[in-house]
Amino acid sequence: MLDARTREGLTSAEVAERHAGGRGNTQHQPSSRSIGDILRENIFTLFNGILTVCFIAVIVLGDLRDGFFYGVVVVNALIGIVQEVRAKVVLDRAALLAAPESRVRRDGRVAEIPIEGVVIDDLLVLRPGDQIPADARVLESTGLALDESLLTGESDPVFKDADAILLSGSHVVTGTGYAVVTAVGADSYASKLTSEIRKHSLVHSELRDATNRILVYLSWILGPLILITLIGRVLTYGGWSELFVDARWRRALLDAVAAVVGMIPEGSCC
């Protein structure tokens, strides 16, 4: 039960002191991956680099029509970039705290304030439909039940008695009560959960791991294969001594480029 002092809530001076000490409910959520990271991961790859060199060689030495293979690189990169940018936008918008205001008791009066205005030790006044703006501990409960499905996946309302812990982001379904704020801002459960959601991490996949191993092996053998292919085309056109007599060197290089392009797994260039 609330004693007379607790029921009054914080004073204006105490609230100002907590805000000055950085104990307000300010949300500083980190963004997900930057646009620069997305562009680098989808454009600056080993296979893209090799195909870009081949494309430049074709443009300089041959016909532009022979460079149509580079369209695969462009399309692959665009698909990867668009998909990841869309995912970034969704993640950056993700927020468990959606209620614009919270109800607190200060100086003996109930006031509605922005959720950023909540401070540590604030006395929350809870009614049906309210969202918990920060982690709190129940001081008084009258049939208080919360919907914690956004946080735990539990669809059934959870009844909260005195001294029960309330997690930020949950909603009051039924009952009323008072609770004292115990954690705000980055220390609150909703903030930590949102930060985890926005982290970029790859789920373990046997298929992806196998594909990555194949790409690593290809990367190691690609250099020697390109060199062998180039030497082979030179020998086909009469060897080094005859190569620069006429335009045979140009044909040899274009043939080598065509062979190299065929070795690159374009579908994995991004």
Side-chain angles (χ1 to χ4, degrees), residues 227-240:
L227 183 60
I228 292 171
T229 300
L230 181 59
I231 294 174
R233 300 317 300 166
V234 169
L235 295 177
T236 299
Y237 284 95
W240 297 102

Side-chain angles (χ1 to χ4, degrees), residues 123-124 134-140 161-166 178-182:
L123 182 63
L124 300 177
D135 295 354
R137 179 173 57 86
V138 177
L139 296 180
E140 183 176 296
D161 296 323
D163 290 329
I165 300 300
L166 306 182
Y178 292 93
V180 62
V181 174
T182 57

Side-chain angles (χ1 to χ4, degrees), residues 183-256:
V184 294
D187 295 328
S188 66
Y189 185 83
S191 181
K192 292 178 180 178
L193 187 57
T194 303
S195 297
E196 288 295 323
I197 291 173
R198 291 183 178 180
K199 282 184 179 179
H200 171 64
S201 60
L202 295 176
V203 179
H204 176 72
S205 166
E206 291 292 341
L207 178 60
R208 189 185 65 250
D209 290 345
T211 302
N212 288 339
R213 284 196 297 270
I214 294 173
L215 294 179
V216 170
Y217 298 151
L218 285 176
S219 302
W220 280 103
I221 67 177
L222 205 53
L225 278 179
I226 291 175
L227 183 60
I228 292 171
T229 300
L230 181 59
I231 294 174
R233 300 317 300 166
V234 169
L235 295 177
T236 299
Y237 284 95
W240 297 102
S241 59
E242 301 292 330
L243 186 62
F244 298 100
V245 173
D246 50 25
R248 278 181 284 183
W249 67 273
R250 185 187 297 269
R251 295 196 300 272
L253 187 56
L254 288 174
D255 287 352

Side-chain angles (χ1 to χ4, degrees), residues 30-45 48 77 80-85 88 92 198-202 270:
S31 174
S32 54
R33 284 193 305 163
S34 66
I35 297 295
D37 289 339
I38 294 174
L39 293 177
R40 280 193 297 272
E41 291 184 10
N42 285 278
I43 296 177
F44 299 107
T45 68
N48 278 0
I81 292 170
V82 169
Q83 288 179 336
E84 295 194 29
V85 168
K88 168 186 168 57
D92 287 347
R198 291 183 178 180
K199 282 184 179 179
H200 171 64
S201 60
L202 295 176
C270 298

Side-chain angles (χ1 to χ4, degrees), residues 50-263:
I50 295 174
L51 288 176
T52 299
V53 172
C54 291
F55 178 70
I56 293 173
V58 167
I59 296 302
V60 173
L61 303 175
D63 193 323
L64 179 60
R65 290 173 295 182
D66 295 329
F68 283 166
F69 68 86
Y70 201 68
V72 176
V73 177
V74 176
V75 171
N76 276 344
L78 287 177
I79 291 174
I81 292 170
V82 169
Q83 288 179 336
E84 295 194 29
V85 168
R86 291 177 63 183
K88 168 186 168 57
V89 171
V90 173
L91 288 175
D92 287 347
R93 289 178 177 174
L96 295 176
L97 294 178
E101 294 183 333
S102 295
R103 191 179 293 105
V104 298
R105 193 171 184 86
R106 291 176 178 174
D107 294 318
R109 298 187 302 273
V110 176
E112 291 189 355
I113 63 172
I115 60 172
E116 294 83 3
V118 176
V119 298
I120 200 79
D121 297 329
D122 246 334
L123 182 63
L124 300 177
V125 181
L126 304 177
R127 299 174 185 175
D130 290 348
Q131 185 177 40
I132 309 300
D135 295 354
R137 179 173 57 86
V138 177
L139 296 180
E140 183 176 296
S141 171
T142 305
L144 187 66
L146 269 62
D147 177 3
E148 298 179 341
S149 57
L150 282 177
L151 309 177
T152 65
E154 174 58 57
S155 59
D156 294 332
V158 180
F159 286 91
K160 301 290 185 177
D161 296 323
D163 290 329
I165 300 300
L166 306 182
L167 298 178
S168 51
S170 53
H171 291 79
V172 178
V173 179
T174 60
T176 59
Y178 292 93
V180 62
V181 174
T182 57
V184 294
D187 295 328
S188 66
Y189 185 83
S191 181
K192 292 178 180 178
L193 187 57
T194 303
S195 297
E196 288 295 323
I197 291 173
R198 291 183 178 180
K199 282 184 179 179
H200 171 64
S201 60
L202 295 176
V203 179
H204 176 72
S205 166
E206 291 292 341
L207 178 60
R208 189 185 65 250
D209 290 345
T211 302
N212 288 339
R213 284 196 297 270
I214 294 173
L215 294 179
V216 170
Y217 298 151
L218 285 176
S219 302
W220 280 103
I221 67 177
L222 205 53
L225 278 179
I226 291 175
L227 183 60
I228 292 171
T229 300
L230 181 59
I231 294 174
R233 300 317 300 166
V234 169
L235 295 177
T236 299
Y237 284 95
W240 297 102
S241 59
E242 301 292 330
L243 186 62
F244 298 100
V245 173
D246 50 25
R248 278 181 284 183
W249 67 273
R250 185 187 297 269
R251 295 196 300 272
L253 187 56
L254 288 174
D255 287 352
V257 168
V260 170
V261 170
M263 299 177 192

